[in-house]
Amino acid sequence: MDKTNIKIKRYKNQKMMCEEDVVVCEHPLTFYINHHEFITLLCTPNNLCELAFGLLYSEGFIHHKDDVLETFLDVKEGICRIMIDKDIDIINRLHGKRVRTTGCGKGTIFYRMIDKLKAKKIKTDYKINKNIIFQMSKTLNQKSHLFLETGGVHASMLVKDNKTIAFSEDVGRHNTIDKVVGQAIIQEIDLKNTALFTTGRISSEMLLKTLKAKIPIIISRSAPTDLAVQLAKEYDVTLIGFARGERMNIYHDVKRVIL
Amino acid sequence: MDKTNIKIKRYKNQKMMCEEDVVVCEHPLTFYINHHEFITLLCTPNNLCELAFGLLYSEGFIHHKDDVLETFLDVKEGICRIMIDKDIDIINRLHGKRVRTTGCGKGTIFYRMIDKLKAKKIKTDYKINKNIIFQMSKTLNQKSHLFLETGGVHASMLVKDNKTIAFSEDVGRHNTIDKVVGQAIIQEIDLKNTALFTTGRISSEMLLKTLKAKIPIIISRSAPTDLAVQLAKEYDVTLIGFARGERMNIYHDVKRVIL
């Protein structure tokens, strides 16, 4: 349940092959504490009861396992209801309501955003040559001076007409996308004819950020999640992972890659 | 400004050395749109104007750079004020107020939490042998089956009496900590005598999660941020990074490591 098999196109040894690949599952889970909606996490669906206890403990809602009176978990519906032996209202005022995902605060809003995006596929004829993908993936690593020095950041880069037009590094994966999109906005560059290169894993949020910025192609040296692949297919965003050396996995869609 | 030099203890070639190291800077930045507090990000202080434009564009607040009337950036105070040509109230109702950090929704609440934690150092005599650190770092990698298969997850592990007592994998770095803490809570294990091993980078939030769970030692194969190091020193959490093979960087504090 925490991983799933999908069909991908794998480019390796100068050949494109149809293969099966395993991607990690990313699943939204909304926590209700004493009937109050508390938080929505994007998480991997395993050890979810432990996640609930750990989250409540770390957030100061419980101090002992006996503070939890009841838990109800519906993974399919993405709901975890927890009854605790405490006045939630006081805690709510202390904490404020929060929404958390793998990388940034969206959660329930996340769904509304998907609704808003419906039928908003990016209309573009933009394509990218496989050699540019390999070359630019290398360029991204070479440009990442802050990573080379500290090891503590991610990097993103926008490519247009086979050239780097924006580059950024940040402790937050998502911030690197915002930074390069911001650079493009300031320069008034049409993002429909660009490709986004990133070092970060591609979660659903990374994919949504790409889609909302109307960038048709996202390429990472890391792995995507199943939800990101699903969204890429639904909204026709080209999603390429594990772009390293002269290899890559095309999760969707080979039509924008010139071989 | 996006990196800083700090003094660390580096263990390498069976010797402990005092050295200078470079860590990436992590800085909270609160965005106000038309005088309304919108979001607090933990980010690396470079390209902040671009970050503002990219964030507003990606969140649907602006569609063109000319929608931004004015920006005011005070990095030292961690404030970015943006005036846009739009009725913020309508957008606010659409989006809801959000707080975002590198990994989860805390932001301004984050500070209140630090306040709450004041003088709440973990009281423990727990120590860990350097050989256990090296051995358990290896164990963490070997146990990460989901990572080996998908490449898309992080893993965390709790160690007590030289044994693994909890292990988890998740798409979210922070979720892995919540999951192992949850396992410990359910088993009623005293976390003051445990060490947390993680594959994820140690940002301030990862450090705070460790501190709130009263775990005195956090060890990662990855890098910490400057803010995490600062908090580790302030609250006396032992923070070890780049634990790979027979090497490690001790950012704070060597007293809990038996050499």
Side-chain angles (χ1 to χ4, degrees), chain A:
Chain A
M1 206 163 72
D2 50 11
K3 61 190 176 184
T4 183
N5 288 328
I6 55 168
K7 282 188 171 46
I8 65 157
K9 302 263 192 307
R10 179 169 284 140
Y11 186 89
K12 192 178 156 185
N13 300 330
Q14 302 183 317
K15 261 182 271 177
M16 184 73 83
M17 293 156 291
C18 290
E19 287 187 15
E20 275 230 327
D21 194 34
V22 187
V23 288
V24 64
C25 291
E26 187 186 4
H27 200 75
L29 187 65
T30 303
F31 292 83
Y32 294 83
I33 309 179
N34 294 2
H35 306 298
H36 293 70
E37 186 180 335
F38 171 56
I39 206 170
T40 299
L41 303 185
L42 283 168
C43 59
T44 304
N46 63 27
N47 295 116
L48 293 181
C49 187
E50 288 84 354
L51 177 61
F53 273 78
L55 180 70
L56 265 63
Y57 182 81
S58 147
E59 297 294 323
F61 285 88
I62 62 168
H63 295 100
H64 190 270
K65 68 168 182 166
D66 295 341
D67 293 341
V68 175
L69 305 174
E70 209 182 305
T71 58
F72 167 82
L73 190 63
D74 185 334
V75 181
K76 217 176 152 192
E77 292 295 318
I79 286 168
C80 182
R81 293 183 191 282
I82 308 142
M83 297 299 290
I84 61 169
D85 191 12
K86 228 176 197 180
D87 182 3
I88 189 81
D89 290 332
I90 293 161
I91 305 161
N92 245 342
R93 255 178 282 150
L94 271 175
H95 283 256
K97 196 170 131 183
R98 244 163 306 157
V99 168
R100 190 182 73 167
T101 56
T102 57
C104 72
K106 292 221 182 64
T108 45
I109 295 153
F110 176 83
Y111 293 104
R112 271 181 258 151
M113 214 133 38
I114 294 179
D115 284 340
K116 267 175 71 185
L117 284 165
K118 276 221 170 110
K120 280 206 181 178
K121 290 186 182 180
I122 304 158
K123 281 177 196 150
T124 180
D125 296 320
Y126 183 67
K127 288 179 184 184
I128 191 162
N129 189 292
K130 74 171 196 311
N131 295 323
I132 299 299
I133 294 175
F134 300 143
Q135 184 192 315
M136 286 298 168
S137 298
K138 209 171 146 188
T139 303
L140 180 63
N141 292 338
Q142 287 166 343
K143 284 177 87 74
S144 306
H145 297 295
L146 199 53
F147 177 78
L148 293 173
E149 280 193 275
T150 69
V153 293
H154 281 292
S156 285
M157 185 172 85
L158 276 175
V159 169
K160 189 181 179 173
D161 298 334
N162 308 338
K163 275 183 226 123
T164 303
I165 54 160
F167 171 81
S168 79
E169 291 182 285
D170 200 287
V171 283
R173 265 185 304 153
H174 305 82
N175 293 343
T176 65
I177 298 190
D178 283 336
K179 282 180 177 179
V180 292
V181 168
Q183 287 170 47
I185 299 300
I186 291 166
Q187 295 171 65
E188 296 183 76
I189 289 162
D190 186 0
L191 288 163
K192 280 182 193 160
N193 302 315
T194 64
L196 175 67
F197 287 74
T198 184
T199 58
R201 286 172 301 136
I202 306 178
S203 60
S204 55
E205 295 164 88
M206 296 284 274
L207 202 282
L208 282 176
K209 242 180 210 308
T210 311
L211 179 59
K212 285 193 283 171
K214 300 185 189 67
I215 301 166
I217 302 171
I218 180 165
I219 298 157
S220 173
R221 65 184 318 280
S222 302
T225 68
D226 68 328
L227 195 49
V229 175
Q230 195 185 311
L231 288 167
K233 287 182 178 173
E234 204 168 329
Y235 295 101
D236 197 22
V237 175
T238 298
L239 168 52
I240 296 172
F242 293 103
R244 298 173 186 189
E246 302 244 318
R247 295 176 54 165
M248 61 178 158
N249 292 353
I250 305 175
Y251 295 90
H252 178 84
D253 178 6
V254 86
K255 72 172 181 285
R256 289 205 190 102
V257 181
I258 303 164
L259 292 167

Side-chain angles (χ1 to χ4, degrees), chain B residues 39-69:
Chain B
I39 206 169
T40 299
L41 303 183
L42 284 169
C43 58
T44 304
N46 63 27
N47 295 115
L48 294 182
C49 189
E50 288 83 355
L51 177 61
F53 273 78
L55 181 69
L56 266 62
Y57 182 80
S58 146
E59 297 293 324
F61 284 90
I62 62 168
H63 296 101
H64 190 270
K65 68 168 182 168
D66 295 342
D67 294 340
V68 176
L69 304 175

Side-chain angles (χ1 to χ4, degrees), chain B residues 63-244:
Chain B
H63 296 101
H64 190 270
K65 68 168 182 168
D66 295 342
D67 294 340
V68 176
L69 304 175
E70 212 182 303
T71 58
F72 168 82
L73 190 65
D74 186 334
V75 180
K76 215 175 154 194
E77 292 295 319
I79 286 168
C80 181
R81 293 183 191 282
I82 308 143
M83 297 300 288
I84 61 169
D85 192 10
K86 230 178 197 178
D87 181 3
I88 189 81
D89 290 332
I90 292 163
I91 305 161
N92 245 342
R93 256 178 281 149
L94 271 173
H95 284 255
K97 197 170 132 184
R98 245 163 304 160
V99 168
R100 193 183 70 169
T101 56
T102 58
C104 72
K106 295 225 180 60
T108 44
I109 296 152
F110 177 84
Y111 293 103
R112 271 181 258 150
M113 215 132 35
I114 294 179
D115 284 340
K116 269 175 69 183
L117 283 164
K118 273 211 173 118
K120 282 208 179 177
K121 289 187 183 181
I122 304 159
K123 281 176 196 150
T124 179
D125 297 322
Y126 183 67
K127 288 179 185 185
I128 190 162
N129 189 292
K130 74 170 195 313
N131 295 324
I132 298 299
I133 294 175
F134 300 141
Q135 183 193 316
M136 287 299 170
S137 298
K138 210 171 144 188
T139 303
L140 180 63
N141 292 337
Q142 287 165 343
K143 285 176 88 73
S144 305
H145 297 295
L146 199 53
F147 177 78
L148 293 174
E149 280 194 275
T150 71
V153 293
H154 281 292
S156 284
M157 186 171 84
L158 276 174
V159 169
K160 188 180 180 172
D161 297 333
N162 308 341
K163 274 183 228 123
T164 302
I165 54 159
F167 171 81
S168 79
E169 290 183 286
D170 200 286
V171 284
R173 265 185 303 153
H174 305 83
N175 294 343
T176 64
I177 298 190
D178 282 335
K179 282 179 176 178
V180 292
V181 168
Q183 288 170 45
I185 299 300
I186 291 167
Q187 295 170 66
E188 297 184 76
I189 290 162
D190 186 0
L191 288 162
K192 278 182 195 161
N193 302 316
T194 64
L196 174 66
F197 288 74
T198 184
T199 59
R201 286 174 299 137
I202 305 176
S203 60
S204 55
E205 294 164 88
M206 297 282 276
L207 201 283
L208 281 176
K209 242 179 211 307
T210 311
L211 179 59
K212 284 193 283 170
K214 300 183 188 71
I215 302 166
I217 302 172
I218 180 165
I219 298 157
S220 174
R221 65 184 319 278
S222 302
T225 68
D226 68 327
L227 196 48
V229 175
Q230 196 184 309
L231 287 168
K233 287 182 178 172
E234 204 167 331
Y235 294 101
D236 198 20
V237 175
T238 298
L239 168 53
I240 296 172
F242 293 101
R244 299 172 186 189

